[in-house]
Structure formats: structure tokens, C-alpha cells
Amino acid sequence: MATYKPLAVQAIPKFGDAIAQDTLYWRGYKTPVQIKEFGAVNKIDFSPVSPYNYAVTASSRIHIYGHYSQEPIKTFSRFKDAAYCATYRDDGNLLVAGSEEGSIRLFDLSGRAPLRQFDGPTKAVHVVGFLSDKYRIFSGGDDYSSDLWDIPSGRKIISYHEHTDYVRCGCANKVHAGVFITGSYDHTVKLFDARTKNSVMTIEHGQPVESVLLFPSGGLLVSAGGRYVKVWDILKGGQLLVSLKNHHKTVTCLCLNSSGQRLLSGSLDRHVKIYSTTSYKVVHSFNYATSILSLALSPEDETIVVGMTNGVLNIKHRKPEERKENSEKKRQPAYRTHVKGKTCTPKREDFCASKPVKNILRKYDRLLKSFQSSKALDAVLEPTIRLHTPEVTVAVMQELHCRGTLRSALAGRDEKQIDLLLTFVSRRVIEPRFTSILVTVADMITDIYQPVVGHSAVVDRQFLKLHEAIGKEIDYQEELLEVLGMMDTLFATFAKKTVTYLEDNKSNGLTETIQTNTT
Amino acid sequence: MVAPALRVVRCGGSSLHGARLVFSADSKYLLCASGDFVKMYSVATEETLRLMGGHADLVTGIQLNPHNHMQLYSSSLDGTIKLWDFMDGIPIKTFTVGSKLMALYTIASCEDSVFVVIPKRDERDTFQLVSVKLTKAAGQDLEAKEWSVILDDVDASTKCTAFGREGIYVASVKECNLQVYFFKQKELNRFSVRAVKKKSGNNQFTCVVCHPKEDCIATGHADGKIRLWYVNFHHKKEYTYSTLHWHHDTVMDLAFSVEGTSLLSGGVESVLVLWRNESGCQKDFLPRLGSAIEYISMASDGTLCCTLHTDNRITIINSNLRFAKSIQGLIKSVNVKTGLVVDPRTKALVLNGEPGHLQFYCLQSDQQLFSLDIVQRQYIHQAGLNQTDLVKVAFSAQGKWLATVEEGEVAEPELQLKLWFYDEETQSFKLNTRINMPHEDHITDMCFRDMDGLEDDSLILVTTGRDCVFKVWVMVEDTDPEAQQSVSWSCDFVGSYHNYQAMSCCFSEDGSLLAVSFEETVTVWDSITWDLKCTFCHPPGKIRNICFGRLTSSKYLIGATDHGFLCCWNLLSCALEWSAHLNISVLQPDPLSEYIAAVSWLSKESSLFVFKPNEPRPVYIQRNLCRERIQLAAFIPRDEPETVGSEKYLWLQRSQLFFLTDTQELLTLSTKSLQERLTLSSKQLAVEEGLHATPFSLLLGKHRQLQSQEDTDLGKILVHNKCEQDSPAVKELMQTPAHVLPSASFLCPIFINSLLFSKENKSVEEVADEVEMESEKTEDDSDEERGVTEIEQGDTSPMELLGEITCKLSKSQEKELRKIRKINYSWILAF
């Protein structure tokens, strides 16, 4: 036997961004902390070990910030000119940085003076980094070369002069010790292996490469340059996997989140976009005040740090997870007796006698079930439903219309209620999904309350408003039709002439019939 | 060998509205008039136990014999009253009255007469209540010409006359008059209510019942009121009545409880109302019974009551007004708009059921398998409301997808196309996509591209609409891998032809071509590029139906036009191959062969033509298929090909043809002769010796059946030997007296073990194969007659295997049992 079926409210697919898990996740950051640096922030690097300090390279200084401190806990400032690309080693003990004057300096985090200074490049070194064996450093600079340095001896191991323009970015392979890549303004990304004399692979990005990134597995390479972010499959010989064009200015920095599931890109257009690495769709994006030069994400995604061209460092911390407070509540004895026996899990041989599920109906459903049309309509004209879920109100009206009781539900109302009804109708009647039923409702209201027009100023005003709303809508529709007509003529001229032999074929059947009939 | 003629067999859906249902005296069986038959249901298991046929026309009344509760009187429009022994299903006597019998009543105080309503001689539409004397002479067929008129001018309906307590008086209502006749005083009292005509209806009488203990008559009225008349029947002018009013529409039937303490009423609202006392302030409801209540009947012991609904469903209700069971065969819907569709998965017939539901009807067991709620909205049982209902249904080739269209019309047509996905886990259809307003106007036809091989990616749905377009819907995969639903449906192509309304569509067998008929023209489209390939037309008249030929004749396209032409076009030459002058109302291709069945409606009779598209001469013609107009037809694939006697019936080999008439009776064609059917049904009755067909008794029945079969089968000695000791465990279990049996917990493992298959028994199985073949054939025969009388038979072959295997398995256990038996016996003897 059937139970009462609650009213089905037509859900309309929501246009625009649906609130996805991602949105919720990336929204879960506090309001940013801003720190003013001395110049454009060209690199931010998180220490890979706890407490996850981060090194910020701006102008001629390298600041080390702690997790929540707004003052640097350490500063390296022995650069004559701008410092570049301060990068932590995997164990978080050493830091290497390039500089405008061409030297590469290696710092111990506990000391102040550089441990080593690698001299050799004649021009600015924009990119430095440790290889994953910890004893070698790669660098790239404005002298078009990519070099490899030995830390213990402090000497250059090998130098590749393959790029034909400034080398501006690089990245070491985390899995294979001798492998690193550099990207250059000559539009290429080159893959080097320390064991060989020449580059192993060259990838044509197409624009000056601003940033490169290797996936933790080392199989995928992401390059950013111009407005494009491109993902390449190294294992397939540098095949282009996907090309993303979601920024409208040069993409300056790339970053992966801790799980490797999301790719972040920052750009001069003041946006940080977050892509899913499975679908390469933008799942979220952040807005910043000025153009972004550098970007880093702490392990566990606890902090997003963004450096801007105007020297502002923007730090966002994650909100602490909301704890469920149920566990902390004191259990009262009454509750315990109430719960008694409910926690029992049935064993396999037990017979389960289920209690009939009591389905709780909404108020309007209860009223509809007992055929109280007027009250049901009253129930859905309550402000909470009327304002937030107008589709419920309209669905009830539709249902009442189906039952043939809409007129009696609308009739017999006082001034206040008519005012309310008319406000609702005149506001919603222009929404296409509600139009058909609300036109009927408006019709009925005018029909029913026509005799009392002129008795109440409030109702009269509402009628005028309704009139105005409908008039506007008609004008709008007319305009739309005009546009449609114009477009039709345009399309008609573009469309090919359809084949005309169809017409001839039409008589075919007829003649055949005659033939068969006569034979 | 002369092939037996095809017979039209009714297999379900006949109207049950002839008469009130009757409970047997012990309330275990329910008897009802079903078309020309009397059906007996078991109250406990809801199965049809017996079908008693013999009347030549509609059965209009059934009543238990008040002097023998094992006997039943039935009356029919063919003018006979039959006396049945319903426990054995044997007609005892037939009394011929000679004129149409509209209703039948029996009362205990009349020894040898029954009361019937017959039409008055020489006057149309006037009826009289007469008492017919049933002679006690020997012989089966008797004349019952001796009758006397009791009341003149009564209503023909069986609800409009009722007999008072102990048969003292009879009350009858017609229009606005109530007449009461006292048998002893021979006095007739007439009362009338003032005729009031209102917008909501009039106050004419619709039904009458008498209080079983007091002088009280309850009458139902067309305006929803119930009047209780307390009449001082001995003084003509004095009468008082009280009114009970809850129903907003006609009161369809009333029933007093056995003691008369409460009154049940039902009507169009499909709510059963229980009035506790006469003031009407205390009442209970049993709402949402599915459809309008036609009859209410009470069991004689008062524990149960049942309602018969307009859609041929019987609901059994406990005395505390709780829904207990429902017996539902083919649910009669107001209008079968969906056509007859076959579910590829269950081979069930799918059509409109309850309003807004899709019923899956099992042909084998004449039962509803399940009912799928498509519209998912509350249905208001009220006349004159135009509520959303299901109009079109289509299944994909393997039953994985179901497409439904529902239509409602309030202000403007409201359409919804829903696509349902078969969920293996829950074993039911799950809504996947809902499309609002797929077309601007009514959808006329819908079909899936039926391709068995590559179902998933190439699945295409085509809908045609009166808005002059056809639309192609395809599955699109959601590109976002994190989305919940991976596929949904969206429109891929919209085609139109000269602004003609698209009427029907059909895919060719290989799915490469789509034919869409636009009024007078058939257009053929390439299903990959959606190019218009060619057009056909047969000018006078619009195209009604189209279908492609199959297998060897897949190059033909068949179309039927409004002006009575059946045309066959050749797709290769794009020319008309042949045409025939036939007014085709139903065109149905067989999905498994190249035959096409066409049903025509000419001069008030339906005729069936079966033809192959490649030859204009029909393979088979049957004129005068049935009295009613055939509305729909469907080929149901057989589980295994049937052996048919003659060439003529080759088309019945692979599938069976079913028809639905406009009175919603389901018919089929059978090659089996009538005798075969009878023997089969009597065989089945042997199983029903026990009261209820429990799984256990069925199992025993199988064993017995098998044994008797083996006994006759002398040729197979080997197997015979094996089966002499057919499941000894069970035998022992049955033979040992109950009081000496060990505890059930001890017997249970033995019994269960006897049901298991053993691994070392392979050789026996192989031997048994031969026997199986034999038995399968007989099974097959009974399959043919399914749905007519039989109780559910199920697939018996595993059962039979079982019997053979058990014999070996349980030898040790047999010994054990014997031991126990011996011990126990000695123990008893000692006393």
C-alpha cells in the first residue's frame, strides 16, 4: 500500500560554479597576513622539514620566516645586489641562492656567513637548486649556461651551453640524482643528465619559459611561459599532454600541492589558479591585489605564501578544523538509558525486526495531505520559503492548480495577504521556470479581486507593479525576438543550400503504387 | 498429421467486476467472478487456485449455498445458474432459467429457491427481482422455469438490492426510490428522497445493504452521503434516517460488519472508511488503496474484509483496518498509452499500471512482478482532474536503460522525459536523467537504437513529437572524474521535414538507418551522419505505423496508413515492393524472426495477418480473432523454441503473440488443443490436495510427480532403480509418526543434507540427463498454458535433479533414522 508521496519540487540545474569539494577546501584559509619586503619577491621556498620555515628572496636579502611569525627569524643580507632563488636542501639544513653579481652562495641555516661561494658565472644567476643526492648544485643564469657544481670541493663539474637565451628557471629530478631541467627565454626546456655531455631532451614550449616543475614521480613536466601552462610526458619522449590557457597574462610561477593532486599557477594577471591534475580543469582560483611573481604552498597545504611585484608577501594560513563537540559533551544518565541497546550490532544469525521508518513531512506537505489548500498556500508564503526557496512556493501553487483548488486557495484573503501574494508574483513572474504557473496565478488573483480594486491603496500599488513588471518583460521579449530574427537572416545566408532532389523522390512511392495496382 | 487449429486463449486481465467477492466459510479462499469464469484465490498465498469455467457469458453473481458451505451458486448473462463444488472445481448442477441473469442472491431461510434479477419481458432496461425455484431432480442439466416475481422495476446492479436479517425483507433502490418488501406480510413499502441536483452530483441511490441484526438499512448515494434508515417497517409512513457524510463523490459500496457494529464504505477516493457508530463522529480510514473501490465484502467470521477495485485488484484487509495483502493480476489502467512493451531482462510485459506507475506483469504466473513509480507524485483520486500520467515507454536492447515520457496538462502540456538506469545492486531502475519539456508538444513515439553487441557507447534514443521535429538523445559522459554520476543524456540532433508532425520512428535491425514518419511521408535517415537518405509516401492517408523487416528481409520497410493500406518499400531500390488494402490497427514485428503480425479492424471484428515482408501473401490469416477490438499486441520471446506441428505455424516457433483488447483482456494464440489443457490442469490439482502450497509441500509434490512419472517410464530401468528409493530421508521423515520423531533440530541437518548436490554423484547426473529431457518436454507443454489456471510452477528441473541425488546421499542417514525409529517403537510398545 502506498504512502503519501511528498510534493516533488522541481530542481533546476544551477548554472555557474557548483560548490565542489575543492571550493570548500581552498576557501578554508584565514584572511591573509601581508608583509612588506624591500623589493619584488622572486622566490619563496618552504623548508621540507618541520617547523616548515620558509625562505623569501626579495631584493638583496633572504628572509627566513617561521610559521606564524611576521618578523623574519633570520636574514641573509650579504649580497651586493639582488639575490635570487634561495632554495632549501632536502634535509632543511642548507640554503643556496644565486645573485645578480654572478656568484652562488651556500648558507648553513645556523650560521650567518656563507659556507661556500661558487664563483664563475659572469652574469646574474637566476636559478639555483640542489640535486637530489644533496652534494651537487645546479644553476642557470643570464650567461645562457646551465652549470653543475660540487659542494664539497666547491668546483664546477660540468657546464652546458645549450640555451640561446637567459636561463630563468630549473628544477631537479627527485628520483634520479643526476637529472635536472632548466627553462630559458629561448622558448625551450632542456633536460640534462650529469652523466652526459649534452642535453638529453629539448622541449619546445613556444613562449619564454618562466617556470618549470617536475612531478614527484619525475615523469611529468610542467612548464609555464607566456599565458600557457603546458604539461609534458617525459617518459613518452616529451610529448605534450595538455596545454592550459587560463591566465590572461604571463604565468610566472608554478607549484604543486602536498598530495600532488592539484597544480597551482600564479600569474601577472593577479590570479592563482588551481588545477586538478587528473582532469586539468581549473577547480578554484584566488585573487590577489597585484601581479604575482612567486608562490609556495607549505606541506599539508597549511599555508599559501604569494609574493608580488610590489614586494608584498601575502600569507594565508589554513583555518583549524572544526572539532566535533559531541564527544566532549558530558553524557547524562538519561541519555545513556535512552541509548541502551541501540549500539548493539546484529550478529549474523540474528533476525532484525525493523521499526517502520517514520518519514517526517514538511508543513505544506502535511497540509496538502489533508487537502487544506488555503493553509498549504499560507505555509509556503512564509518568508523563509518565499524568499529562499521560491521553487517550493511555485511547486505548491502548481500542485494546487493540478488539484483544481488553486482558485479557492487564493480567494478570501485580506489586504496584507494579497499584498504579499502580489509582491511574490510580480517579482517572480519574469523567471522563465515560474512563468507559466505564475501567469495563471496572476490571472486568478486579478479575476478574484477585481471587485475590490480601488478599495486599498496597498493592493492597487501592487497591481500597478505587476502591470509594470509584465510590461517590461514583454518589451524585453520583443527585443529578443528582434535579435533572433536578425540572427536567423544571418544564419540563412551562411547555410548551404540543401539538396533539392528530395522533392523529386517524393512522387516515387505514388507512381509505384499505381503500377502495382494496375498489374 | 493434421495440424490443430490455433485457438485464442485468454491469459489474464479479465474484469473481476461481475459480482461482489465471496469468502469461503472458513475464510481461507476467496471466490470471484472473472469474465466468464469463477476464480478461486487462496487468501494466505494470494495464488489463483482454481478457475471454474462453463458459463458462456459474463458471470454476474456468485453466492455460497447457504445450506452447504462447500457449494457455490453462480449466475451468468447466458441465463444459467450453476452449482459448483468449489473445493474440487466440479460443476454439480446447471439450472437454465432462460433469460439474462443480472444478479444473484441466496438466503438461508429459503430452502430451495434463489433470487435473481432478470430483465422484464418486452421492456427494455427494466428489471425485476424474481425468486427461482431450483428443482431437486437428479441429473446435471435442469430447467428452472418456475419463478415468481417479487419486486418490479429494480436496478440491474447487484449492489442495488439487499436482503434483510434472516431474510424477512428485501430492500432495493433505484434512482431516488427505496422499496422494501416483506415476505411474510407480502407488503411493499416505498420511500423516496427528494431529488436534488447539485454541481457536485445528485443524491440518487447507488447501493444498499441491510443490517445483519437490526431493522436498519444503509444506502449510499451519488453525492457521497450514506443514509441509515431506521424504519418502523410495519407502519408505512413513519421512517427516520440519519446521514453520514464523508465521501465527496459517489459511494460505490457499503458493507456492515458481521455483528453490524460498524459499517464500511468505499468510493472513488479509494479510501476505505470504517464508521464505528451511527453518529458518524467516530470513523477510521484506510487511505490510498490505489484506485476506486468497486465492491466491499466481509468474511463470515469477520476477521477479514476485502475490497475489489476498479483496476481489478483485490485488497485483503484485516479486521483492525490494516492492509494485509493484495491480489493483483494485470492491473487495468484507464488508458494503456504506453503500448505493450517487453522487458528484455525479465521477459515481463510492461504497460501502464496504477496511475503514474509502470507495471511489470509476469505472464507465467499471472501476477504483477512489480510496479515502478515513474511520476513520483501523489495521485488524487477525483474525477475530472487531469493529472500527470505515463504515456511512452522504451527499453534498450538488454534492458539496461528505460526511457519514459510522462504528460500532464494543466495550463499547457507539461512533458518529462526520464531515463532510468538498471541498478544491479538494488535490482531496480534508478533515475538517471530527467528532461523537462523535451518537445514543445506531445511526444508521439520513442525508440532506442537496438544494438545488442555494442550497447554502451552507441546507445541512442529517438523521440518524435507533434512539434514537427524528432530529437536524437545520446549519452554524454561527464568529463569531471570527481562527479557523482558518470553519464547523463542530452540532445544531439534535431531533425524535421517540411514542418510536418513526426508520428512514429523505428530503427533498422543493424541500427544504421532511422525511419521517421512525418504525416504522409516516411523519411529514412542515416543514423551516423543524420543525413536524410530517402523518403517514401503513399499519398492518401497519414502513416500510422512503420517498422523495418528483420533478418533476411531487412531491406524492407513496412508502413501502414490511415486509409487502409499496408505498404512495403524496398530500401535498396527505393521503390514500393507491394501494397495491400488493409485497415491495420496494430503492426508488430517479431524481434526474433522475420515475421510481422498485423491486426486489422474491419466490420466489427479483428483479424490477424502474419506475413513476411519479402512476400505479399500472408503466411497466416485468422479472421474474427475476438469480439473486442484489439488495441495492442506484442511478441514475447519463448525461452526455448517450440516444436510446431505444421509449416503454417512456424511463426509461433520463436515467440508467442499476445494481444490486449480494449477491455484490457490479454489474449494469446496457442496450438495446443483444449483436451491437453484440461488434463494438464487436472494434474496440477493433485498438488493442491494440501491446503496451502508452501515451498515444502511443493517440494514433496515434485517428488511425487517424479515418482509417478518414473513408474510409467518402464524403459529406463537404470533410473527406475535409482528412484525407487527416492529421497529416503524425506520418506522416512513423512512416514514416522510425529510423536516418535526426534527433535526437529536433529532432523533438520538430515533434511537439508538431502537437498544438497554431491560431488561424487556425477555419473548419476549424466544418466539422469535422459530423463530430464523427457520431463522438460512435458514441462514445456505446461508452460504454454501458463497463466490460465496454473499456480506458479517455476523451473522444476533443478528440483528433479535434486530428487535423484538425494537417494545416494542419505543412505547413512537413512540407517540412522531407521535406528531411531526402531528404538522409539520398542519404547512405545513397552507401555
Side-chain angles (χ1 to χ4, degrees), chain B residues 172-189:
Chain B
S172 176
V173 292
K174 189 178 181 188
E175 285 158 12
C176 287
N177 299 310
L178 164 70
Q179 41 185 344
V180 182
Y181 178 78
F182 291 89
F183 289 105
K184 264 193 197 140
Q185 291 89 337
K186 299 210 186 323
E187 196 178 271
L188 181 69
N189 294 355

Side-chain angles (χ1 to χ4, degrees), chain B residues 81 91 111 135 194 198 302 317 345 419 428 460 473 523 628 698 711 724 789:
Chain B
I81 299 172
E111 266 302 309
T135 49
R194 209 179 320 120
K198 271 191 276 179
I317 294 157
R345 203 172 281 268
L419 285 133
S428 67
I460 288 176
W473 306 86
T523 54
E628 299 94 358
L698 266 179
D711 286 341
E724 265 180 347
T789 58

Side-chain angles (χ1 to χ4, degrees), chain B residues 551-769:
Chain B
L551 303 172
T552 54
S553 45
S554 55
K555 60 178 174 180
Y556 297 104
L557 178 67
I558 316 292
T561 67
D562 265 348
H563 280 234
F565 275 100
L566 183 66
C567 321
C568 175
W569 292 286
N570 190 334
L571 290 169
L572 299 179
S573 61
C574 290
L576 187 76
E577 193 82 4
W578 53 267
S579 73
H581 195 70
L582 265 181
N583 184 22
I584 300 294
S585 59
V586 177
L587 190 68
Q588 186 70 31
D590 182 1
L592 295 179
S593 65
E594 55 213 346
Y595 296 101
I596 293 175
V599 179
S600 76
W601 174 251
L602 268 179
S603 57
K604 298 203 170 169
E605 61 172 48
S606 297
S607 316
L608 170 71
F609 299 86
V610 180
F611 61 93
K612 280 188 189 181
N614 50 8
E615 44 192 292
R617 191 165 294 283
V619 180
Y620 177 79
I621 301 174
Q622 173 143 4
R623 294 201 184 274
N624 200 2
L625 206 57
C626 65
R627 285 172 294 187
E628 299 94 358
R629 188 177 177 133
I630 284 175
Q631 221 182 5
L632 298 160
F635 273 103
I636 311 274
R638 291 180 198 274
D639 292 336
E640 40 198 277
E642 200 198 28
T643 45
V644 279
S646 92
E647 286 274 302
K648 218 169 143 190
Y649 304 137
L650 267 180
W651 59 278
L652 277 173
Q653 198 177 3
R654 305 290 301 277
S655 354
Q656 200 173 2
L657 186 60
F658 286 87
F659 308 100
L660 195 74
T661 62
D662 48 3
T663 54
Q664 295 203 9
E665 268 186 272
L666 198 63
L667 311 175
T668 187
L669 287 171
S670 166
T671 51
K672 299 285 175 296
S673 66
L674 205 61
Q675 277 79 23
E676 255 174 287
R677 249 180 82 200
L678 282 179
T679 51
L680 271 162
S681 60
S682 66
K683 229 189 226 170
Q684 281 152 14
L685 293 186
V687 189
E688 294 153 18
E689 280 166 4
L691 284 179
H692 308 307
T694 57
F696 185 64
S697 70
L698 266 179
L699 184 74
L700 282 181
K702 297 300 172 206
H703 282 304
R704 258 179 241 157
Q705 235 180 5
L706 187 76
Q707 210 172 7
S708 62
Q709 198 184 1
E710 296 306 334
D711 286 341
T712 53
D713 201 357
L714 293 170
K716 308 208 160 48
I717 301 157
L718 192 69
V719 183
H720 190 73
N721 281 342
K722 295 256 188 253
C723 280
E724 265 180 347
Q725 18 164 318
D726 168 29
S727 78
V730 176
K731 221 188 279 172
E732 290 288 306
L733 204 76
M734 297 318 292
Q735 281 170 1
T736 319
H739 61 282
V740 296
L741 273 176
S743 71
S745 58
F746 179 77
L747 287 173
C748 185
I750 301 177
F751 177 68
I752 300 290
N753 271 334
S754 74
L755 300 178
L756 291 175
F757 291 87
S758 71
K759 273 187 182 165
E760 66 264 29
N761 233 7
K762 285 266 164 67
S763 60
V764 182
E765 254 178 291
E766 276 162 24
V767 179
D769 262 357

Side-chain angles (χ1 to χ4, degrees), chain A residues 6 8 18 37 95 130 136 252 299 356 358 396 402 417 493-494 499 501:
Chain A
E37 292 288 336
L95 189 77
F130 291 95
R136 284 180 287 180
T252 52
K358 198 179 176 189
V396 168
C402 273
Q417 284 171 316
T493 51
F494 285 138
V499 204
Y501 69 82

Side-chain angles (χ1 to χ4, degrees), chain A residues 1-6 8 10-12 22 262 276 278-279 281 369 371 398-399 401-404 436 440 501-503 505-506 508-510 512-513 516-517, chain B residues 286-289 323 357 373 376-378 380 385 410-412 414 416 434 436 479 481-482 497-498 500 521 532-535 537-539 574-577 579:
Chain A
M1 204 182 68
T3 49
Y4 177 79
K5 289 171 206 155
Q10 294 268 338
I12 297 286
D22 273 293
R262 297 286 180 271
S276 157
T278 39
S279 64
K281 286 264 164 67
K369 187 183 169 189
F371 292 89
Q398 179 102 34
E399 175 67 22
H401 190 37
C402 273
R403 293 181 178 196
S436 69
T440 323
Y501 69 82
L502 293 174
E503 302 295 2
N505 228 8
K506 215 176 146 187
N508 220 345
L510 179 63
E512 285 300 318
T513 327
T516 41
N517 283 350
Chain B
L286 183 64
R288 290 181 287 279
L289 285 170
F323 171 83
H357 287 62
D373 188 2
Q376 295 176 332
R377 277 165 90 167
Q378 186 64 33
I380 310 292
L385 285 189
V410 184
E412 47 197 64
E414 194 188 313
Q416 271 191 5
R434 192 190 67 201
N436 280 336
T479 44
E482 283 144 41
Y497 182 77
H498 287 255
Y500 290 137
T521 319
L532 183 58
K533 288 290 172 198
C534 58
T535 58
C537 92
H538 199 276
C574 290
L576 187 76
E577 193 82 4
S579 73

